[in-house]
Amino acid sequence: MSSRPELQAPPEIFYDDVEARKYTSSSRIVGIQAELSERALELLALPDDGIPRLLLDIGCGSGLSGETISENGHQWIGLDISRSMLDIALERETDGDLILGDMGQGLGLRPGLIDGAISISAVQWLCNADKSCHEPRLRLKAFFGSLYRCLGRGARAVFQLYPENNAQRELILGFAMRAGFAGGVVIDYPHSSKKRKEYLVLTCGPPSLSTATPSAIGEDGNSCSDDESSGDEENQTVCISDRHRPRKKQKLTKKGKTRAWVLKKKEKMRSKGNVVPPDSKYTARKRKAHF
Amino acid sequence: MRLLTHNMLSSNIKGVINGFPLLIEAERVVEKQVDFNLDFLKNMFSKIDWKALADASKTMGYDELPDEVPDPSVLDSQEFLQKFHHALLELHLEEGALVYPETGRRFPVNKGIPNMFLHEDEV
């Protein structure tokens, strides 16, 4: 798996002209972004009354997600930090207005007017410690605080993101809660490493039926049951557990890859037709560590 | 950038008390046709800061909007709705700047995109 772009350079440098064009001309990426945007819009749970809303697209990039918003009949304002990406959005003639800006500096919008916000594959960039270790926290605080203020009552914010690890996920969630948001994480296809997608669904205002975290999509395309993990009221992380799926793979024990696991793996490779050394008493023997 | 967006932007520079509205310096204004949607206009009518919209519209060269906030009954008037629609969605600021009135700080607008980056000391 290629390394994360977040570890290579800050977004305004990573997404330069070349990368921006590459990103937008890849049909695979365009397809994925469209899917993610559709799902995010679905999770926004806007009323089905045909009235166009005013939405925010945070980290709108080259306008891929914005197009989905327009196709669904809503108006939007997009914000992105990379001029190159926005230039491509201009080429593609998006319907929404584009703003060149840094979400970590605060959104700079009047309070209570936005009907909803989506962000596709962008919010995790806020966690980068590009400069000092204090900065990401200030940026997260500025972002979530300003977002909370500009959203109307009952509005939602849905972020599809790729957190690097659990610590990052907790960090983002923590700042969202501190800003006053309620909500949780929706994980689609939790068992598939390729299809797995994570959405942070945040709601403004007190928790109620409408702010309950929606159910996720499981392996077979149906909604999974979700159990709420233990935790205090503030941290409503939803754990998705699929009761129906039997475990096919051998569970990796804490000690790592046991001999049984190795033997099974070798059998599998043989059945695939690979050349595999024969099993012997030396298979998966613990070796001495070399320096 | 349309006046819809301009009406939402409020400068959040550190120390600023009221960052809205930003004054428009219009160097190039373009008119783009946008489909008329009654529901959206009604939705936005209650959100818009009317004075800011009317002033901005004048700066962009369209002087058809009333200065004072009109009574909601105007939403039944097709004539008014057309003007509202035109000012809100069809006037585009392509080149120019948004200026924060208290300090004169300029946010340049190029190719219709305002550059809202804050300097280190303004955050």
Side-chain angles (χ1 to χ4, degrees):
Chain A
M1 188 134 170
S2 56
S3 81
R4 291 169 61 89
E6 292 84 9
L7 298 175
Q8 291 182 33
E12 65 271 27
I13 296 177
F14 182 82
Y15 288 111
D16 59 5
D17 287 340
V18 171
E19 192 63 37
R21 199 163 288 284
K22 239 190 348 177
Y23 189 91
T24 322
S25 25
S26 157
S27 58
R28 182 181 148 265
I29 289 189
V30 170
I32 292 177
Q33 293 291 310
E35 260 178 57
L36 297 175
S37 316
E38 283 289 356
R39 180 65 171 136
L41 271 175
E42 200 184 330
L43 291 169
L44 263 186
L46 294 169
D48 197 12
D49 50 13
I51 300 180
R53 279 2 203 236
L54 180 60
L55 304 177
L56 274 188
D57 186 353
I58 299 166
C60 62
S62 41
L64 296 174
S65 39
E67 250 170 50
T68 307
I69 304 180
S70 297
E71 276 162 21
N72 278 271
H74 300 294
Q75 294 284 351
W76 55 279
I77 300 173
L79 174 75
D80 202 87
I81 201 174
S82 159
R83 200 185 287 270
S84 310
M85 288 290 251
L86 289 179
D87 280 340
I88 304 226
L90 284 176
E91 270 179 35
R92 303 175 94 245
E93 295 191 357
T94 54
D95 288 324
D97 277 342
L98 306 167
I99 300 177
L100 178 64
D102 183 351
M103 60 167 122
Q105 290 184 337
L107 293 173
L109 297 167
R110 273 202 297 137
L113 300 175
I114 305 292
D115 298 315
I118 66 167
S119 176
I120 306 296
S121 320
V123 172
Q124 72 272 4
W125 283 97
L126 269 177
C127 298
N128 277 13
D130 289 321
K131 290 159 194 172
S132 76
C133 49
H134 287 310
E135 232 204 49
R137 291 171 189 271
L138 290 176
R139 292 163 58 71
L140 283 161
K141 184 171 172 205
F143 171 63
F144 281 111
S146 58
L147 180 65
Y148 190 79
R149 276 193 301 276
C150 76
L151 286 174
R153 194 185 311 159
R156 285 187 178 189
V158 176
F159 305 144
Q160 183 277 325
L161 40 81
Y162 299 109
E164 195 175 346
N165 46 42
N166 214 36
Q168 222 186 56
R169 192 181 288 114
E170 298 289 331
L171 186 68
I172 296 174
L173 251 174
F175 275 95
M177 299 302 158
R178 244 168 282 187
F181 283 109
V185 179
V186 172
I187 304 181
D188 287 344
Y189 307 104
H191 303 293
S192 161
S193 61
K194 269 198 184 154
K195 289 199 281 184
R196 184 183 199 278
K197 292 289 181 278
E198 211 172 302
Y199 300 86
L200 179 58
V201 180
L202 300 173
T203 52
C204 287
S208 68
L209 269 174
S210 64
T211 61
T213 312
S215 52
I217 299 176
E219 281 284 342
D220 49 0
N222 300 328
S223 290
C224 283
S225 60
D226 32 65
D227 309 317
E228 277 197 58
S229 73
S230 64
D232 43 319
E233 306 148 19
E234 274 196 307
N235 193 6
Q236 290 176 33
T237 312
V238 176
C239 280
I240 313 299
S241 68
D242 190 344
R243 292 188 291 238
H244 308 292
R245 186 169 155 71
R247 287 217 81 95
K248 283 186 196 162
K249 281 201 301 216
Q250 173 131 14
K251 201 166 179 161
L252 292 179
T253 67
K254 282 215 176 101
K255 292 206 177 119
K257 293 166 185 174
T258 60
R259 185 163 191 273
W261 183 89
V262 171
L263 289 172
K264 216 172 178 174
K265 190 83 178 175
K266 287 175 83 172
E267 229 7 88
K268 203 165 124 197
M269 287 291 159
R270 275 188 205 110
S271 68
K272 269 197 191 169
N274 293 340
V275 173
V276 182
D279 297 335
S280 72
K281 63 176 179 176
Y282 300 109
T283 307
R285 187 189 61 152
K286 195 135 173 69
R287 271 87 171 168
K288 272 202 187 129
H290 296 262
F291 16 96
Chain B
M1 183 195 64
R2 301 172 295 186
L3 291 183
L4 168 67
T5 305
H6 165 260
N7 209 273
M8 301 288 134
L9 284 174
S10 170
S11 167
N12 56 343
I13 297 175
K14 188 164 71 175
V16 150
I17 303 164
N18 182 22
F20 177 84
L22 295 167
L23 300 173
I24 295 184
E25 257 177 40
E27 275 162 43
R28 201 163 82 86
V29 176
V30 165
E31 287 187 18
K32 292 188 193 170
Q33 222 240 330
V34 172
D35 288 337
F36 182 90
N37 189 305
L38 178 64
D39 290 321
F40 182 70
L41 289 175
K42 284 190 175 162
N43 181 14
M44 292 312 300
F45 183 77
S46 47
K47 300 188 191 208
I48 288 284
D49 181 303
W50 189 264
K51 183 146 192 326
L53 178 66
D55 289 342
S57 177
K58 262 195 220 120
T59 326
M60 304 266 272
Y62 185 70
D63 203 358
E64 303 284 323
L65 294 180
D67 285 330
E68 296 299 320
V69 185
D71 189 73
S73 60
V74 299
L75 290 172
D76 296 321
S77 150
Q78 192 61 20
E79 205 200 313
F80 169 79
L81 288 169
Q82 288 291 350
K83 291 185 187 166
F84 182 37
H85 170 80
H86 187 77
L88 191 68
L89 297 170
E90 294 185 332
L91 297 174
H92 283 260
L93 180 63
E94 286 290 310
E95 304 289 329
L98 298 172
V99 182
Y100 177 58
E102 277 179 34
T103 57
R105 159 74 155 109
R106 292 177 85 247
F107 296 99
V109 179
N110 297 110
K111 297 191 262 189
I113 303 179
N115 180 339
M116 305 303 292
F117 279 127
L118 299 178
H119 305 311
E120 293 271 331
D121 52 351
E122 289 172 327
V123 178

